Amino acid sequence: MFVIFGAAGNVGKASAAALRRAGRTVRAVVRNEKQGEFLAGIGCEIAVADLFDTSAVARAIEGAQAVQLLCPVPHAHTDPADAMRHMIDASVAALRAAPPQHVLALSDYGAEHESGTGITTLFHYLETQLQTVDSRLTFLRAAEHMHNWARTLPTALACGVLPSLHHPLSKRFPTVAAQDVGLLAADLLLDDGARQGSPRVVSIEGDERVSALDVARTIGDLAVREIVAREVPRDQWNAMLQGAGLGELYARLITDLYDAHNAGRIDVEAQSSERRFGTTKLADVLAAILPRVAAAARTAEAAR
């Protein structure tokens, strides 16, 4: 039995589908039954679990040979970092009580740093806590997800301007498609070779690095209009993020993250990880997202 947490997300769905294609039994863990409809359709067993509840996590992993663990940042909480640490503690307690043979944790570039990296420090905490579990451990550290640009697409399409926290605009940074992360995760779960000692650390990014200028150009090509990248001044970050509905502490996690990005601290830990490269292009990811964003914009305009 392969247990996939966060199975309704872009990464988890790709992992679950790949494992089913390989003929494996999959239990897909979701937050509610509706999220499980597609997964049930491809033959997954569905489990509904609250990751803050150790007993619910314990039921979800019962009988598991391998577990793919995703602890998402709970951005709706007043203190997302504290909430995520509680989520991690609950999940780790369940895994420690009934350790499966293999645990693969979805982590981030920069997770080797204990502090000073905003959201990424939470993945450092995840990796550290999991090392108390008596399982074979794999940490799959992914670069920034290409899907994250969906958040700024409405602004880009409405105003012709792509706001960027990546400074300078010409700086090239690693990014990756969520489906490539999910497919690699499934491959790593299926790799049942015996490994002892330290956790296996695997990094994944796309086959070419991009800049904010590249992202704007790609959106413009797809939308058939000019899109200009704009560097958001550092002193405007908090106001912009909170104006978009983010809480103060979540906004701080993001500003700290991009400060670390711009200082070059969020990158592959080349000496300690196996490097893999996805094949999905940024244009392919944005082309899939763009119609939904454009349709939502048209609906909002019609409702005014």
Side-chain angles (χ1 to χ4, degrees):
M1 170 73 74
F2 289 77
V3 176
I4 308 297
F5 284 86
N10 292 317
V11 174
K13 193 177 294 183
S15 297
L19 291 168
R20 288 297 300 137
R21 288 194 297 271
R24 303 307 175 98
T25 303
V26 175
R27 180 180 297 142
V29 185
V30 294
R31 291 193 301 272
N32 56 65
E33 291 286 352
K34 185 168 181 56
Q35 286 188 328
E37 290 175 359
F38 167 81
L39 296 153
I42 63 171
C44 295
E45 176 188 328
I46 305 301
V48 176
D50 178 351
L51 294 187
F52 291 101
D53 183 347
T54 297
S55 60
V57 176
R59 289 191 295 273
I61 66 171
E62 187 175 349
Q65 167 193 346
V67 171
Q68 180 169 309
L69 184 63
L70 168 67
C71 287
V73 181
H75 54 82
H77 283 256
T78 304
D79 188 341
D82 184 65
M84 184 167 166
R85 285 190 289 267
H86 278 87
M87 182 190 301
I88 291 168
D89 290 343
S91 298
V92 169
L95 290 164
R96 195 185 296 128
Q101 294 175 26
H102 188 184
V103 175
L104 181 147
L106 297 169
S107 187
D108 267 11
Y109 272 28
E112 69 273 14
H113 300 299
E114 183 178 358
S115 62
T117 58
I119 289 172
T120 303
T121 60
L122 299 171
F123 292 95
H124 176 86
Y125 183 77
L126 171 65
E127 292 187 8
T128 301
Q129 294 305 108
L130 279 172
Q131 291 184 59
T132 66
V133 176
D134 188 21
S135 298
R136 180 158 55 91
L137 297 174
T138 299
F139 299 148
L140 177 52
R141 294 179 184 167
E144 180 177 314
H145 284 200
M146 296 173 183
H147 291 79
N148 289 354
W149 289 99
R151 302 167 188 164
T152 52
L153 276 177
T155 298
L157 294 176
C159 306
V161 175
L162 179 73
S164 175
L165 304 187
H166 284 287
H167 295 181
L169 296 175
S170 59
K171 176 176 68 72
R172 299 176 74 81
F173 53 89
T175 186
V176 69
Q179 59 262 38
D180 288 342
V181 180
L183 292 172
L184 175 57
D187 285 344
L188 294 171
L189 287 171
L190 291 169
D191 179 2
D192 56 4
R195 288 183 176 81
Q196 302 297 326
S198 300
R200 182 183 187 184
V201 180
V202 182
S203 67
I204 181 170
E205 61 182 82
D207 61 1
E208 60 180 357
R209 295 191 168 196
V210 301
S211 68
L213 295 173
D214 296 324
V215 177
R217 190 178 306 114
T218 302
I219 297 170
D221 289 344
L222 293 168
V224 196
R225 60 169 298 183
E226 183 180 18
I227 304 292
V228 178
R230 181 176 71 87
E231 191 175 287
V232 180
R234 176 63 180 82
D235 61 3
Q236 295 178 18
W237 288 7
N238 272 316
M240 183 190 77
L241 293 168
Q242 292 187 53
L246 276 63
E248 178 184 356
L249 295 181
Y250 189 42
R252 188 182 306 164
L253 287 174
I254 293 178
T255 58
D256 287 349
L257 171 64
Y258 279 92
D259 279 338
H261 254 300
N262 296 336
R265 298 186 69 209
I266 306 296
D267 211 326
V268 63
E269 190 182 17
Q271 302 304 314
S272 303
S273 68
E274 306 169 34
R275 297 193 69 182
R276 306 292 178 86
F277 298 90
T279 59
T280 305
K281 303 294 185 184
L282 176 66
D284 297 327
V285 171
L286 294 178
I289 297 171
L290 207 60
R292 297 198 299 272
V293 173
R298 287 193 298 270
T299 300
E301 181 65 26
R304 289 187 185 131

